[in-house]
Amino acid sequence: MDLLFKSFSTGYESNEIISDLNLKIKSGEWIGVIGSNGSGKSTLLKGIAKIIPTKSGDLFLNGSSIRVLSTKNMAKLVSYLPQTLNSNLPLTVKELVALGRSPHKHFWEFDLNANDLSIIDDALDLCGLKKYSNTALNSLSGGQCQRAYLALTIAQKTKIILLDEPTTFLDINFQIQMLDLIKNLKKQNKITIITVIHDINLALRYCDRLAIFKKGNLLTIDEPVKA
């Protein structure tokens, strides 16, 4: 799914963080967002997901302005994995992942159908969490919790995935496993991925283009030079 930013600005209340962004991201691209602390990386993802408002300009998803898309319809198109995760929810891992199916259900539908259950099981399997399905979320390690939330994101079955430093609590082996998993998802389903990532070596290895931000402004975006 294409994203087209036209003079797009977003931020918090009276504080505009991302300013006048003009950019096109093609369907199936993996964009790595890098920059120093305070450069607006996380704010950009929240603005794309409509968690915070568009201040000016617009963002189009396959030609549709996010200004006119409802929260539910946005959730069918865009999934967002934040940097800070709530590990204290009174849920099992499978119950958490099942929340990813909510945007695809009517408000009166309380039960998961066979297709929902298959998608949830596939997401758990992809993230190596099948054996933790009935484990309480608050008993997981930081890395396991991060993978559980990634499984939720996968179960949402969107064409755009936003990831805010998804490897923060993972050791290097799980970092590679997770990014390889995301790479395979992208390839198989032509998913558009935008990832805030602090490890430049991982960004160079996985991303199709790197977008460098400074104080809310896009300095440059280009293909990484790979050895």
Side-chain angles (χ1 to χ4, degrees):
M1 178 170 284
D2 292 344
L3 293 88
L4 179 62
F5 300 83
K6 286 191 173 182
S7 300
F8 177 76
S9 301
T10 188
Y12 308 89
E13 297 181 353
S14 60
N15 189 14
E16 184 177 285
I17 306 295
I18 298 294
S19 301
D20 197 29
L21 177 61
N22 291 283
L23 174 65
K24 181 174 183 179
I25 298 174
K26 295 178 182 178
S27 180
E29 271 197 294
W30 188 341
I31 303 297
V33 180
I34 59 178
S36 59
N37 291 338
S39 60
K41 304 184 299 295
S42 296
T43 301
L44 173 64
L45 298 194
K46 291 176 183 176
I48 295 170
K50 247 181 118 170
I51 294 168
I52 56 175
T54 300
K55 294 290 189 181
S56 60
D58 214 336
L59 167 59
F60 298 90
L61 308 181
N62 269 8
S64 297
S65 166
I66 67 168
R67 289 182 180 271
V68 300
L69 289 170
S70 68
T71 300
K72 184 166 186 175
N73 284 333
M74 277 294 294
K76 291 178 182 178
L77 300 174
V78 180
S79 53
Y80 167 64
L81 181 64
Q83 185 176 358
T84 303
L85 305 173
N86 186 353
S87 62
N88 293 316
L89 295 174
L91 299 171
T92 65
V93 172
K94 189 169 185 176
E95 288 169 341
L96 175 76
V97 177
L99 295 177
R101 302 306 302 151
S102 299
H104 304 279
K105 311 294 286 185
H106 295 293
F107 72 89
W108 62 82
E109 292 181 298
F110 298 104
D111 296 326
L112 299 169
N113 59 34
N115 182 56
D116 294 322
L117 293 172
S118 176
I119 289 169
I120 292 164
D121 283 344
D122 286 346
L124 288 166
D125 194 35
L126 279 169
C127 295
L129 293 169
K130 283 291 282 288
K131 66 181 180 180
Y132 298 105
S133 293
N134 298 315
T135 301
L137 186 66
N138 60 14
S139 68
L140 299 180
S141 68
Q144 289 167 338
C145 183
Q146 193 133 12
R147 284 189 283 145
Y149 272 92
L150 178 63
L152 183 161
T153 304
I154 292 168
Q156 203 170 325
K157 283 286 184 181
T158 61
K159 285 297 183 181
I160 298 171
I161 295 180
L162 311 174
L163 305 168
D164 194 349
E165 299 200 16
T167 59
T168 302
F169 298 107
L170 304 177
D171 63 33
I172 187 61
N173 290 327
F174 276 123
Q175 287 181 32
I176 298 298
Q177 285 181 30
M178 179 176 280
L179 293 173
D180 280 343
L181 184 160
I182 295 166
K183 182 179 180 179
N184 289 333
L185 280 174
K186 167 184 173 289
K187 183 177 180 180
Q188 292 169 12
N189 302 311
K190 208 175 182 182
I191 294 170
T192 306
I193 300 169
I194 304 175
T195 308
V196 172
I197 189 164
H198 67 277
D199 189 319
I200 190 65
N201 291 316
L202 292 176
L204 290 170
R205 177 170 176 171
Y206 288 97
C207 299
D208 298 311
R209 288 193 291 167
L210 298 183
I212 302 173
F213 280 81
K214 182 178 181 180
K215 295 182 179 178
N217 295 300
L218 176 63
L219 297 183
T220 186
I221 180 167
D222 209 344
E223 295 180 10
V225 178
K226 300 181 181 181

